[in-house]
PDB file of all heavy atoms in Angstrom:
ATOM      1  N   GLU A   6       2.858   2.207  -5.001  1.00  0.00           N
ATOM      2  CA  GLU A   6       1.708   1.444  -4.572  1.00  0.00           C
ATOM      3  C   GLU A   6       1.919  -0.016  -4.847  1.00  0.00           C
ATOM      4  O   GLU A   6       2.637  -0.414  -5.755  1.00  0.00           O
ATOM      5  CB  GLU A   6       0.442   1.941  -5.315  1.00  0.00           C
ATOM      6  CG  GLU A   6       0.162   3.414  -5.109  1.00  0.00           C
ATOM      7  CD  GLU A   6      -0.958   3.897  -5.997  1.00  0.00           C
ATOM      8  OE1 GLU A   6      -1.658   3.006  -6.583  1.00  0.00           O
ATOM      9  OE2 GLU A   6      -1.188   5.078  -6.076  1.00  0.00           O
ATOM     10  N   SER A   7       1.205  -0.852  -4.082  1.00  0.00           N
ATOM     11  CA  SER A   7       1.195  -2.285  -4.300  1.00  0.00           C
ATOM     12  C   SER A   7      -0.097  -2.892  -3.717  1.00  0.00           C
ATOM     13  O   SER A   7      -0.761  -2.255  -2.918  1.00  0.00           O
ATOM     14  CB  SER A   7       2.421  -2.937  -3.693  1.00  0.00           C
ATOM     15  OG  SER A   7       2.445  -2.751  -2.317  1.00  0.00           O
ATOM     16  N   GLY A   8      -0.411  -4.097  -4.162  1.00  0.00           N
ATOM     17  CA  GLY A   8      -1.496  -4.836  -3.578  1.00  0.00           C
ATOM     18  C   GLY A   8      -2.733  -5.009  -4.434  1.00  0.00           C
ATOM     19  O   GLY A   8      -3.661  -5.682  -4.038  1.00  0.00           O
ATOM     20  N   GLY A   9      -2.815  -4.371  -5.619  1.00  0.00           N
ATOM     21  CA  GLY A   9      -3.972  -4.465  -6.423  1.00  0.00           C
ATOM     22  C   GLY A   9      -3.992  -5.875  -7.100  1.00  0.00           C
ATOM     23  O   GLY A   9      -3.076  -6.678  -6.957  1.00  0.00           O
ATOM     24  N   GLY A  10      -5.103  -6.184  -7.762  1.00  0.00           N
ATOM     25  CA  GLY A  10      -5.217  -7.449  -8.445  1.00  0.00           C
ATOM     26  C   GLY A  10      -6.678  -7.848  -8.685  1.00  0.00           C
ATOM     27  O   GLY A  10      -7.594  -7.027  -8.538  1.00  0.00           O
ATOM     28  N   LEU A  18      -8.760  -7.471  -0.257  1.00  0.00           N
ATOM     29  CA  LEU A  18      -7.476  -7.041  -0.751  1.00  0.00           C
ATOM     30  C   LEU A  18      -6.939  -5.963   0.220  1.00  0.00           C
ATOM     31  O   LEU A  18      -7.703  -5.261   0.836  1.00  0.00           O
ATOM     32  CB  LEU A  18      -7.512  -6.432  -2.171  1.00  0.00           C
ATOM     33  CG  LEU A  18      -7.608  -7.411  -3.351  1.00  0.00           C
ATOM     34  CD1 LEU A  18      -7.763  -6.571  -4.642  1.00  0.00           C
ATOM     35  CD2 LEU A  18      -6.388  -8.284  -3.437  1.00  0.00           C
ATOM     36  N   ARG A  19      -5.597  -5.900   0.272  1.00  0.00           N
ATOM     37  CA  ARG A  19      -4.965  -4.825   1.070  1.00  0.00           C
ATOM     38  C   ARG A  19      -3.999  -4.080   0.173  1.00  0.00           C
ATOM     39  O   ARG A  19      -3.059  -4.648  -0.393  1.00  0.00           O
ATOM     40  CB  ARG A  19      -4.212  -5.462   2.223  1.00  0.00           C
ATOM     41  CG  ARG A  19      -3.692  -4.396   3.195  1.00  0.00           C
ATOM     42  CD  ARG A  19      -2.936  -5.050   4.361  1.00  0.00           C
ATOM     43  NE  ARG A  19      -2.664  -4.139   5.449  1.00  0.00           N
ATOM     44  CZ  ARG A  19      -1.506  -4.046   6.050  1.00  0.00           C
ATOM     45  NH1 ARG A  19      -0.477  -4.769   5.703  1.00  0.00           N
ATOM     46  NH2 ARG A  19      -1.303  -3.187   7.067  1.00  0.00           N
ATOM     47  N   LEU A  20      -4.234  -2.814   0.057  1.00  0.00           N
ATOM     48  CA  LEU A  20      -3.366  -1.929  -0.750  1.00  0.00           C
ATOM     49  C   LEU A  20      -2.382  -1.189   0.163  1.00  0.00           C
ATOM     50  O   LEU A  20      -2.703  -0.885   1.307  1.00  0.00           O
ATOM     51  CB  LEU A  20      -4.203  -0.833  -1.487  1.00  0.00           C
ATOM     52  CG  LEU A  20      -5.299  -1.352  -2.411  1.00  0.00           C
ATOM     53  CD1 LEU A  20      -5.976  -0.155  -3.080  1.00  0.00           C
ATOM     54  CD2 LEU A  20      -4.797  -2.347  -3.414  1.00  0.00           C
ATOM     55  N   SER A  21      -1.176  -1.053  -0.346  1.00  0.00           N
ATOM     56  CA  SER A  21      -0.130  -0.369   0.384  1.00  0.00           C
ATOM     57  C   SER A  21       0.450   0.776  -0.487  1.00  0.00           C
ATOM     58  O   SER A  21       0.478   0.632  -1.710  1.00  0.00           O
ATOM     59  CB  SER A  21       1.009  -1.270   0.804  1.00  0.00           C
ATOM     60  OG  SER A  21       0.517  -2.306   1.634  1.00  0.00           O
ATOM     61  N   CYS A  22       0.879   1.843   0.159  1.00  0.00           N
ATOM     62  CA  CYS A  22       1.530   2.947  -0.581  1.00  0.00           C
ATOM     63  C   CYS A  22       2.576   3.494   0.310  1.00  0.00           C
ATOM     64  O   CYS A  22       2.288   4.019   1.358  1.00  0.00           O
ATOM     65  CB  CYS A  22       0.475   3.969  -0.948  1.00  0.00           C
ATOM     66  SG  CYS A  22       1.174   5.484  -1.687  1.00  0.00           S
ATOM     67  N   TRP A  36      -6.760   7.621  -0.161  1.00  0.00           N
ATOM     68  CA  TRP A  36      -6.913   6.740  -1.310  1.00  0.00           C
ATOM     69  C   TRP A  36      -8.073   7.281  -2.163  1.00  0.00           C
ATOM     70  O   TRP A  36      -9.100   7.620  -1.597  1.00  0.00           O
ATOM     71  CB  TRP A  36      -7.198   5.280  -0.885  1.00  0.00           C
ATOM     72  CG  TRP A  36      -6.029   4.584  -0.333  1.00  0.00           C
ATOM     73  CD1 TRP A  36      -5.717   4.468   1.004  1.00  0.00           C
ATOM     74  CD2 TRP A  36      -4.998   3.938  -1.054  1.00  0.00           C
ATOM     75  NE1 TRP A  36      -4.581   3.724   1.135  1.00  0.00           N
ATOM     76  CE2 TRP A  36      -4.103   3.396  -0.088  1.00  0.00           C
ATOM     77  CE3 TRP A  36      -4.736   3.676  -2.383  1.00  0.00           C
ATOM     78  CZ2 TRP A  36      -2.988   2.650  -0.461  1.00  0.00           C
ATOM     79  CZ3 TRP A  36      -3.617   2.946  -2.755  1.00  0.00           C
ATOM     80  CH2 TRP A  36      -2.747   2.450  -1.796  1.00  0.00           C
ATOM     81  N   THR A  77       3.944   5.176   5.208  1.00  0.00           N
ATOM     82  CA  THR A  77       3.134   4.273   4.421  1.00  0.00           C
ATOM     83  C   THR A  77       1.654   4.349   4.836  1.00  0.00           C
ATOM     84  O   THR A  77       1.349   4.499   6.028  1.00  0.00           O
ATOM     85  CB  THR A  77       3.606   2.843   4.609  1.00  0.00           C
ATOM     86  OG1 THR A  77       4.974   2.706   4.192  1.00  0.00           O
ATOM     87  CG2 THR A  77       2.748   1.812   3.798  1.00  0.00           C
ATOM     88  N   VAL A  78       0.805   4.225   3.851  1.00  0.00           N
ATOM     89  CA  VAL A  78      -0.637   4.212   4.042  1.00  0.00           C
ATOM     90  C   VAL A  78      -1.189   2.967   3.496  1.00  0.00           C
ATOM     91  O   VAL A  78      -0.698   2.399   2.498  1.00  0.00           O
ATOM     92  CB  VAL A  78      -1.335   5.439   3.477  1.00  0.00           C
ATOM     93  CG1 VAL A  78      -1.188   5.518   1.960  1.00  0.00           C
ATOM     94  CG2 VAL A  78      -2.809   5.506   3.858  1.00  0.00           C
ATOM     95  N   PHE A  79      -2.182   2.351   4.186  1.00  0.00           N
ATOM     96  CA  PHE A  79      -2.788   1.112   3.796  1.00  0.00           C
ATOM     97  C   PHE A  79      -4.281   1.291   3.598  1.00  0.00           C
ATOM     98  O   PHE A  79      -4.925   2.165   4.158  1.00  0.00           O
ATOM     99  CB  PHE A  79      -2.607   0.021   4.882  1.00  0.00           C
ATOM    100  CG  PHE A  79      -1.192  -0.175   5.309  1.00  0.00           C
ATOM    101  CD1 PHE A  79      -0.642   0.470   6.423  1.00  0.00           C
ATOM    102  CD2 PHE A  79      -0.347  -0.999   4.575  1.00  0.00           C
ATOM    103  CE1 PHE A  79       0.652   0.317   6.825  1.00  0.00           C
ATOM    104  CE2 PHE A  79       0.967  -1.175   4.921  1.00  0.00           C
ATOM    105  CZ  PHE A  79       1.480  -0.541   6.040  1.00  0.00           C
ATOM    106  N   LEU A  80      -4.836   0.412   2.790  1.00  0.00           N
ATOM    107  CA  LEU A  80      -6.283   0.363   2.584  1.00  0.00           C
ATOM    108  C   LEU A  80      -6.699  -1.102   2.641  1.00  0.00           C
ATOM    109  O   LEU A  80      -6.412  -1.830   1.688  1.00  0.00           O
ATOM    110  CB  LEU A  80      -6.740   1.043   1.272  1.00  0.00           C
ATOM    111  CG  LEU A  80      -8.266   1.143   1.117  1.00  0.00           C
ATOM    112  CD1 LEU A  80      -8.860   2.054   2.171  1.00  0.00           C
ATOM    113  CD2 LEU A  80      -8.594   1.540  -0.291  1.00  0.00           C
ATOM    114  N   GLN A  81      -7.323  -1.504   3.698  1.00  0.00           N
ATOM    115  CA  GLN A  81      -7.838  -2.866   3.840  1.00  0.00           C
ATOM    116  C   GLN A  81      -9.257  -2.846   3.262  1.00  0.00           C
ATOM    117  O   GLN A  81     -10.156  -2.121   3.732  1.00  0.00           O
ATOM    118  CB  GLN A  81      -7.895  -3.314   5.281  1.00  0.00           C
ATOM    119  CG  GLN A  81      -8.461  -4.685   5.506  1.00  0.00           C
ATOM    120  CD  GLN A  81      -7.642  -5.816   4.855  1.00  0.00           C
ATOM    121  OE1 GLN A  81      -6.416  -5.796   4.969  1.00  0.00           O
ATOM    122  NE2 GLN A  81      -8.256  -6.757   4.217  1.00  0.00           N
ATOM    123  N   MET A  82      -9.472  -3.652   2.201  1.00  0.00           N
ATOM    124  CA  MET A  82     -10.757  -3.715   1.539  1.00  0.00           C
ATOM    125  C   MET A  82     -11.402  -5.087   1.715  1.00  0.00           C
ATOM    126  O   MET A  82     -10.838  -6.077   1.287  1.00  0.00           O
ATOM    127  CB  MET A  82     -10.582  -3.374   0.066  1.00  0.00           C
ATOM    128  CG  MET A  82      -9.903  -2.097  -0.208  1.00  0.00           C
ATOM    129  SD  MET A  82      -9.783  -1.666  -1.965  1.00  0.00           S
ATOM    130  CE  MET A  82      -8.680  -2.934  -2.531  1.00  0.00           C
ATOM    131  N   TYR A  93      -6.936   2.454  -8.257  1.00  0.00           N
ATOM    132  CA  TYR A  93      -6.837   3.089  -6.952  1.00  0.00           C
ATOM    133  C   TYR A  93      -5.510   3.891  -6.870  1.00  0.00           C
ATOM    134  O   TYR A  93      -4.432   3.335  -7.220  1.00  0.00           O
ATOM    135  CB  TYR A  93      -6.942   2.044  -5.855  1.00  0.00           C
ATOM    136  CG  TYR A  93      -8.304   1.546  -5.651  1.00  0.00           C
ATOM    137  CD1 TYR A  93      -8.906   0.672  -6.564  1.00  0.00           C
ATOM    138  CD2 TYR A  93      -9.046   1.910  -4.538  1.00  0.00           C
ATOM    139  CE1 TYR A  93     -10.192   0.237  -6.371  1.00  0.00           C
ATOM    140  CE2 TYR A  93     -10.347   1.453  -4.292  1.00  0.00           C
ATOM    141  CZ  TYR A  93     -10.939   0.641  -5.263  1.00  0.00           C
ATOM    142  OH  TYR A  93     -12.182   0.200  -5.049  1.00  0.00           O
ATOM    143  N   TYR A  94      -5.594   5.125  -6.448  1.00  0.00           N
ATOM    144  CA  TYR A  94      -4.484   5.983  -6.364  1.00  0.00           C
ATOM    145  C   TYR A  94      -4.273   6.463  -4.925  1.00  0.00           C
ATOM    146  O   TYR A  94      -5.252   6.901  -4.233  1.00  0.00           O
ATOM    147  CB  TYR A  94      -4.644   7.207  -7.222  1.00  0.00           C
ATOM    148  CG  TYR A  94      -4.789   6.921  -8.703  1.00  0.00           C
ATOM    149  CD1 TYR A  94      -6.055   6.648  -9.266  1.00  0.00           C
ATOM    150  CD2 TYR A  94      -3.675   6.931  -9.490  1.00  0.00           C
ATOM    151  CE1 TYR A  94      -6.144   6.377 -10.631  1.00  0.00           C
ATOM    152  CE2 TYR A  94      -3.779   6.678 -10.878  1.00  0.00           C
ATOM    153  CZ  TYR A  94      -5.019   6.402 -11.438  1.00  0.00           C
ATOM    154  OH  TYR A  94      -5.144   6.145 -12.752  1.00  0.00           O
ATOM    155  N   THR A 115      -2.967   1.592  -8.926  1.00  0.00           N
ATOM    156  CA  THR A 115      -3.008   0.127  -8.966  1.00  0.00           C
ATOM    157  C   THR A 115      -4.424  -0.352  -9.208  1.00  0.00           C
ATOM    158  O   THR A 115      -5.388   0.201  -8.700  1.00  0.00           O
ATOM    159  CB  THR A 115      -2.472  -0.447  -7.591  1.00  0.00           C
ATOM    160  OG1 THR A 115      -2.353  -1.889  -7.697  1.00  0.00           O
ATOM    161  CG2 THR A 115      -3.371  -0.117  -6.426  1.00  0.00           C
ATOM    162  N   LEU A 116      -4.519  -1.322 -10.126  1.00  0.00           N
ATOM    163  CA  LEU A 116      -5.850  -1.718 -10.614  1.00  0.00           C
ATOM    164  C   LEU A 116      -6.459  -2.823  -9.688  1.00  0.00           C
ATOM    165  O   LEU A 116      -5.764  -3.826  -9.344  1.00  0.00           O
ATOM    166  CB  LEU A 116      -5.777  -2.284 -12.007  1.00  0.00           C
ATOM    167  CG  LEU A 116      -7.057  -2.643 -12.693  1.00  0.00           C
ATOM    168  CD1 LEU A 116      -7.982  -1.429 -12.808  1.00  0.00           C
ATOM    169  CD2 LEU A 116      -6.787  -3.215 -14.066  1.00  0.00           C
ATOM    170  N   VAL A 117      -7.657  -2.580  -9.317  1.00  0.00           N
ATOM    171  CA  VAL A 117      -8.449  -3.587  -8.500  1.00  0.00           C
ATOM    172  C   VAL A 117      -9.604  -4.036  -9.333  1.00  0.00           C
ATOM    173  O   VAL A 117     -10.395  -3.187  -9.840  1.00  0.00           O
ATOM    174  CB  VAL A 117      -8.937  -2.984  -7.173  1.00  0.00           C
ATOM    175  CG1 VAL A 117      -9.886  -3.937  -6.511  1.00  0.00           C
ATOM    176  CG2 VAL A 117      -7.745  -2.658  -6.289  1.00  0.00           C
TER     177      VAL A 117
END
Side-chain angles (χ1 to χ4, degrees):
E6 302 173 10
S7 60
L18 281 176
R19 187 181 192 225
L20 305 183
S21 300
C22 174
W36 288 95
T77 300
V78 61
F79 306 97
L80 186 67
Q81 178 66 43
M82 304 184 294
Y93 285 72
Y94 298 88
T115 185
L116 186 61
V117 172

